[in-house]
Amino acid sequence: MYIYIIFIEIVCGSHLYSRSNGSVENQIFRECSYSGLNSDYYLFQCIQNYIFVPKLELTQKQIGIHSQKRNGEIKLSNFLICDLITNEGQKTLEIRRTLFPQYSNLIKQENNIMFYDLTQIDSICVIVSLLKRLDNQEYLIEIYPMFPGDVNKFFSISYKFNSDSNRSIFGFSQLYNKIRNALLLIILKQNQIQLIEYSLFDEKFREVSTYSLSKNNVPLNWKVQQSGYIIITYEQFQVLYSIGEILYEIQEIYRFDSQPLQMLTNFNGTNSNYILQQNMNRTKLFIIEEIEQQYQSKNVRFIQQFDLQYSNIAFLIDETQLLLIYDDFETVQTNIRNLRLDQIQFCQHDIEELPQMNQQSINYQQQYDPDIYSQSKIIKLQQDCQIPCDLIYESLNISLVPYKSECIFESLYNQFLNGCNRFNNCYTCMQQMGCEWIEDKCQTEQNYERLSLNQVKESSKWFVNKILKCGQEIEFNQTYYGSVSKGTVFTLFHDANIYQEFNLVFNLQVEQSQNMNFIEQSFCLGNDQLQLCNQIILNHFNSDFRFNGYYFRIIFVILDDIKINELTITIKQDDPTIDSEYYRIVKLTSWLFLAVILFGTIIYIANKRMDYLISLSIQNQQQNLDTDSLQNVMEYMIKEKVIVKEHFSQQILHYDQDKCPFCIEQYEIQQEIIQIFCGHIFHLECFEDWIRINTKLVRCPICNQTIEYFLKHKDQFKK
């Protein structure tokens, strides 16, 4: 007998107030349902309004909300919001770009659609998929990948399929499978579920399988969870299905009665394995569990019943606490007592009911590897609570995925789980969604970066995506010497509070490269403080570009190993003036002038100089200083403070000069160097060789500053 001790804490309704005018807004929170979230807000869809509740304030007494009048069914991502509006039987989808709940602008509108779904792949990619009907039997799926800084540029991926006209389509949804790095498209028909996969690895569509449903019942409603569960509601009952994570095999898990139910959402927005269902004036709680070591074995276990009215909105704070939200934002928090007595698990299948081979799964796997052997012989052996795959597929090299209850060919198992390993360099790895360059290997992405909507003023972060982790990020206000390796990223950004005009002069010269597409350029320009910046592609390596905006970000990604002869980037900004009684005239005083003289020029000059010194030494060998004379000259210059002899450190650099101009070798810490009166430095040995040949120091070998001028104006140099 189960004994439950229930602790219930009744919390008075939180005080909802509008952030726009401060008025009390509790009364608008009626007949609401949870509709999703992004990195900052929960979205609730109520009878008349959409309500955005800050995630950090959900359990507080004072909650400042944003609300809008409802005109359709909406879904939310980090930077997009989709609104499906039905008018005169026609469904129109409005895709809006949003930074704040109270502000959004229309960027695309699609008419005459049947269904759609929106999925946040990671922080920088959202996929919107549409289902359209072309004729009685032909349908079209359109997939739109969208990125935060490039949402005005649309491209679609289309897929046509046929469906029996006798099988009406009741629903369409999609799931992102992180293990497979693929988008699974789910189509609900009258008595069938059809699965189609779009792989992000090879960008191909594949027919996965179909699953037969009850022939005598028509679906009334359905809900697809991102965790891979499907709940289909019929007139008399509801059925819970699960979709396998590896091969997408569908399994019926449990049948509930017709009372309303929902899968609980964790407080962080992820799906849990708990189910909440109404039971008259009470509420029941269930949990989905896997039976280890059994083929296709999951079950649902009843946990406890609460003396609480059912709510359409509930969150699992943790495994011990449940939060329910009612009309007028009345909240109830209760403890979960997941008591479980030791039970003996009996085999789910007796020997005569051993599952048959899933031929659709075999056919689907053959789309990846046509050479997979498909013949099998089913045998029946007695096993205690274990039905491994070799009992079903005796003659195939196929095994059970641990804790996934799916039979898969071993040749494909590693390919599915280690698909990122095929990319052998950082750049191509980081370009692939779902992959990340970790410890010099391409691996499945561990943690998706989050894009906060509060980063509206931080334009530099909007395009700091995964690719910036490749190579070395070089700032233009520093001097850089040497060849540029593949994957190196140059980046520059500027953020301002006032609309202004900029001039960009960009010049790049390289030694001959076999790959003409050795650079990828993007220019992110912000024309509105309330919008994400629009991306512009620069097609010329030598350009003079004039633009207006609040902010910009420039990114150059080197796609091949190259040697740059000259790279110059100059940013010029005009004095901004805004004639308005609401603004004071502001002048932007920062001028950015960035110029880099590259390695090739220095090598050329240094080689010419050394050739000259060598020839001079040969021609005038009789005039070279001997060791004693050289020592006297050096001591005199040190005494007169024309030169300083010291050990190298980064603090003494005045010109970002990290290499000796004579030998073109980098300075090492504590290495003996000579710094002359103008600030230029040299290796001690290189400078002595130069003095030995020239007999005296007349002017700086780099900037031509004369020692005569220095001796006359010592006080000025001291200052």
Side-chain angles (χ1 to χ4, degrees):
M1 178 179 180
Y2 291 96
I3 300 175
Y4 299 109
I5 303 175
I6 303 176
F7 295 95
I8 300 177
E9 177 186 0
I10 305 296
V11 181
C12 296
S14 299
H15 177 67
L16 302 183
Y17 67 92
S18 172
R19 289 191 180 272
S20 59
N21 55 30
S23 61
V24 176
E25 297 288 353
N26 288 54
Q27 65 277 8
I28 69 172
F29 197 87
R30 292 184 177 276
E31 299 183 32
C32 302
S33 61
Y34 171 68
S35 189
L37 82 165
N38 58 25
S39 56
D40 295 316
Y41 293 93
Y42 294 104
L43 173 61
F44 298 99
Q45 206 159 229
C46 302
I47 189 171
Q48 293 182 339
N49 298 82
Y50 307 134
I51 297 177
F52 297 84
V53 176
K55 294 172 65 174
L56 298 178
E57 300 180 17
L58 184 63
T59 57
Q60 297 181 7
K61 298 296 183 182
Q62 298 281 335
I63 301 178
I65 66 171
H66 300 282
S67 63
Q68 299 176 10
K69 288 296 183 181
R70 174 177 173 178
N71 61 351
E73 302 293 328
I74 67 173
K75 294 183 180 180
L76 180 68
S77 74
N78 275 350
F79 55 88
L80 289 180
I81 186 168
C82 293
D83 198 347
L84 184 63
I85 303 170
T86 303
N87 186 18
E88 297 181 354
Q90 299 293 328
K91 293 183 178 180
T92 300
L93 180 66
E94 293 184 351
I95 304 176
R96 296 181 175 272
R97 179 172 53 183
T98 179
L99 289 174
F100 303 105
Q102 70 272 26
Y103 175 84
S104 63
N105 64 309
L106 180 66
I107 57 175
K108 187 171 181 60
Q109 182 172 297
E110 285 285 340
N111 299 312
N112 299 323
I113 72 170
M114 294 181 64
F115 303 99
Y116 89 101
D117 204 357
L118 174 149
T119 301
Q120 183 86 41
I121 301 298
D122 57 19
S123 64
I124 60 169
C125 180
V126 170
I127 290 184
V128 179
S129 297
L130 314 178
L131 178 63
K132 298 180 178 181
R133 186 169 187 169
L134 301 180
D135 55 36
N136 289 336
Q137 296 185 359
E138 191 174 29
Y139 294 84
L140 176 69
I141 295 174
E142 290 185 336
I143 297 176
Y144 290 93
M146 297 186 181
F147 298 86
D150 200 18
V151 293
N152 288 330
K153 179 183 176 183
F154 295 98
F155 70 95
S156 65
I157 306 161
S158 301
Y159 180 75
K160 291 182 181 180
F161 67 97
N162 293 322
S163 179
D164 189 345
S165 59
N166 294 326
R167 289 190 174 125
S168 301
I169 294 181
F170 287 85
F172 170 78
S173 188
Q174 64 185 13
L175 295 175
Y176 173 63
N177 188 311
K178 185 176 179 180
I179 294 178
R180 296 288 305 275
N181 195 20
L183 195 67
L184 182 64
L185 306 167
I186 308 169
I187 302 166
L188 175 64
K189 302 179 182 180
Q190 180 171 337
N191 55 4
Q192 191 181 79
I193 296 177
Q194 181 177 356
L195 302 180
I196 300 172
E197 178 194 49
Y198 175 69
S199 174
L200 297 175
F201 273 138
D202 55 19
E203 299 180 348
K204 291 182 179 179
F205 286 92
R206 292 181 175 89
E207 294 277 352
V208 179
S209 64
T210 57
Y211 183 88
S212 297
L213 302 175
S214 173
K215 295 182 179 180
N216 300 320
N217 297 278
V218 178
L220 301 178
N221 196 3
W222 81 325
K223 178 69 175 178
V224 178
Q225 307 293 329
Q226 291 302 311
S227 53
Y229 293 102
I230 303 175
I231 298 176
I232 299 180
T233 302
Y234 298 95
E235 185 175 357
Q236 301 295 331
F237 58 93
Q238 300 172 89
V239 186
L240 173 67
Y241 298 92
S242 71
I243 301 178
E245 294 184 18
I246 306 297
L247 296 179
Y248 309 127
E249 294 179 345
I250 297 179
Q251 174 194 0
E252 180 180 329
I253 302 177
Y254 196 78
R255 294 202 173 197
F256 297 88
D257 58 35
S258 59
Q259 293 290 316
L261 60 79
Q262 62 179 301
M263 289 204 68
L264 289 178
T265 302
N266 291 316
F267 210 59
N268 61 1
T270 59
N271 293 121
S272 73
N273 58 339
Y274 287 85
I275 296 177
L276 202 67
Q277 185 180 30
Q278 180 178 338
N279 183 24
M280 304 299 289
N281 293 325
R282 296 181 177 182
T283 301
K284 294 189 294 186
L285 184 66
F286 300 85
I287 186 172
I288 305 173
E289 297 176 319
E290 285 208 32
I291 302 176
E292 297 181 4
Q293 305 300 326
Q294 287 200 12
Y295 174 68
Q296 289 190 344
S297 298
K298 291 184 180 180
N299 65 356
V300 174
R301 180 169 61 89
F302 171 74
I303 295 180
Q304 76 184 79
Q305 182 167 266
F306 304 104
D307 290 324
L308 296 171
Q309 188 177 10
Y310 178 78
S311 171
N312 290 326
I313 303 174
F315 292 96
L316 196 68
I317 299 177
D318 54 40
E319 292 187 353
T320 63
Q321 289 186 308
L322 178 66
L323 176 68
L324 295 95
I325 304 177
Y326 301 94
D327 284 353
D328 297 335
F329 219 83
E330 296 290 337
T331 59
V332 173
Q333 189 169 319
T334 180
N335 289 346
I336 300 174
R337 297 301 178 202
N338 188 356
L339 302 179
R340 177 170 182 170
L341 302 179
D342 292 336
Q343 299 177 353
I344 299 176
Q345 294 185 3
F346 297 97
C347 293
Q348 204 171 33
H349 309 283
D350 61 34
I351 198 65
E352 297 301 326
E353 296 178 355
L354 189 67
Q356 300 294 308
M357 180 187 68
N358 188 336
Q359 188 60 47
Q360 284 188 329
S361 177
I362 299 297
N363 295 338
Y364 165 65
Q365 295 184 63
Q366 284 182 310
Q367 295 182 68
Y368 282 90
D369 187 354
D371 296 330
I372 289 178
Y373 180 64
S374 62
Q375 299 299 320
S376 66
K377 176 182 177 182
I378 300 176
I379 62 174
K380 297 184 170 46
L381 298 175
Q382 181 66 43
Q383 295 286 323
D384 294 332
C385 294
Q386 292 187 2
I387 306 178
C389 295
D390 55 8
L391 298 182
I392 307 169
Y393 306 91
E394 179 196 17
S395 58
L396 302 182
N397 184 18
I398 196 167
S399 61
L400 185 71
V401 179
Y403 307 109
K404 298 300 180 188
S405 301
E406 295 177 82
C407 293
I408 182 174
F409 284 92
E410 292 182 357
S411 61
L412 294 182
Y413 180 67
N414 290 330
Q415 177 181 335
F416 287 161
L417 298 188
N418 302 297
C420 294
N421 289 351
R422 72 186 71 176
F423 306 109
N424 55 12
N425 67 76
C426 179
Y427 179 76
T428 55
C429 174
M430 288 302 196
Q431 284 289 85
Q432 177 65 48
M433 277 186 287
C435 297
E436 186 175 9
W437 192 257
I438 304 173
E439 296 179 352
D440 295 328
K441 293 181 180 179
C442 192
Q443 305 179 30
T444 300
E445 192 167 3
Q446 304 298 316
N447 298 304
Y448 289 141
E449 299 176 9
R450 302 296 295 174
L451 176 68
S452 172
L453 299 185
N454 294 325
Q455 293 174 354
V456 59
K457 292 299 181 68
E458 301 178 39
S459 61
S460 64
K461 294 185 178 180
W462 294 341
F463 272 86
V464 181
N465 53 25
K466 297 182 302 180
I467 195 173
L468 294 187
K469 297 177 183 176
C470 296
Q472 177 185 8
E473 186 172 354
I474 303 170
E475 298 181 5
F476 286 105
N477 58 356
Q478 297 179 358
T479 302
Y480 173 76
Y481 299 101
S483 299
V484 179
S485 60
K486 183 178 182 179
T488 300
V489 176
F490 296 79
T491 179
L492 174 69
F493 71 91
H494 178 74
D495 217 341
N497 296 320
I498 194 168
Y499 195 77
Q500 57 212 277
E501 185 174 81
F502 297 90
N503 285 341
L504 168 66
V505 179
F506 174 61
N507 179 271
L508 173 63
Q509 296 181 10
V510 301
E511 291 188 2
Q512 186 175 3
S513 174
Q514 294 181 352
N515 181 12
M516 297 304 297
N517 299 319
F518 63 88
I519 188 170
E520 180 180 274
Q521 308 166 74
S522 64
F523 189 85
C524 186
L525 175 63
N527 293 309
D528 191 327
Q529 284 185 311
L530 295 178
Q531 294 182 3
L532 292 170
C533 53
N534 299 312
Q535 188 177 12
I536 301 172
I537 302 299
L538 300 180
N539 296 320
H540 303 288
F541 302 146
N542 301 294
S543 59
D544 189 347
F545 189 72
R546 180 185 294 268
F547 57 91
N548 297 304
Y550 285 91
Y551 41 76
F552 62 83
R553 179 174 182 83
I554 307 169
I555 294 178
F556 307 103
V557 182
I558 305 300
L559 308 180
D560 199 5
D561 294 329
I562 60 173
K563 181 177 287 187
I564 300 176
N565 290 335
E566 182 179 0
L567 171 62
T568 304
I569 295 180
T570 304
I571 301 292
K572 294 183 178 181
Q573 169 203 326
D574 295 336
D575 291 334
T577 303
I578 297 183
D579 297 325
S580 173
E581 59 181 354
Y582 300 103
Y583 300 95
R584 291 183 301 176
I585 298 177
V586 179
K587 288 187 177 181
L588 195 64
T589 58
S590 60
W591 289 81
L592 302 176
F593 178 81
L594 306 171
V596 179
I597 301 177
L598 296 173
F599 188 63
T601 305
I602 297 178
I603 288 288
Y604 176 78
I605 296 175
N607 287 336
K608 288 293 185 180
R609 183 181 298 275
M610 292 305 293
D611 291 342
Y612 169 74
L613 293 177
I614 292 172
S615 62
L616 187 64
S617 175
I618 294 174
Q619 296 172 8
N620 304 289
Q621 189 170 4
Q622 70 280 1
Q623 300 178 4
N624 292 350
L625 296 178
D626 56 25
T627 303
D628 293 337
S629 300
L630 174 64
Q631 184 176 358
N632 293 334
V633 172
M634 294 291 290
E635 289 177 354
Y636 172 77
M637 289 191 293
I638 293 174
K639 179 180 178 181
E640 294 295 324
K641 298 182 180 180
V642 175
I643 64 174
V644 177
K645 181 180 178 182
E646 54 187 329
H647 292 89
F648 176 76
S649 66
Q650 292 290 340
Q651 288 74 20
I652 69 174
L653 292 177
H654 293 289
Y655 302 101
D656 291 334
Q657 174 195 347
D658 61 349
K659 296 182 180 69
C660 174
F662 290 136
C663 65
I664 318 300
E665 292 184 2
Q666 286 189 331
Y667 301 114
E668 298 179 0
I669 300 300
Q670 297 301 317
Q671 189 177 20
E672 285 189 316
I673 56 97
I674 291 294
Q675 186 173 43
I676 64 176
F677 57 89
C678 60
H680 286 104
I681 61 176
F682 311 87
H683 283 136
L684 173 61
E685 294 181 357
C686 295
F687 184 79
E688 287 180 342
D689 289 342
W690 190 82
I691 292 294
R692 190 191 306 275
I693 295 172
N694 289 273
T695 70
K696 60 182 177 179
L697 177 64
V698 177
R699 64 182 70 245
C700 172
I702 303 301
C703 65
N704 285 329
Q705 183 70 261
T706 63
I707 189 173
E708 181 182 1
Y709 181 84
F710 165 74
L711 294 175
K712 290 181 180 180
H713 302 86
K714 277 189 177 182
D715 294 338
Q716 179 180 348
F717 278 83
K718 288 180 180 179
K719 293 180 181 179

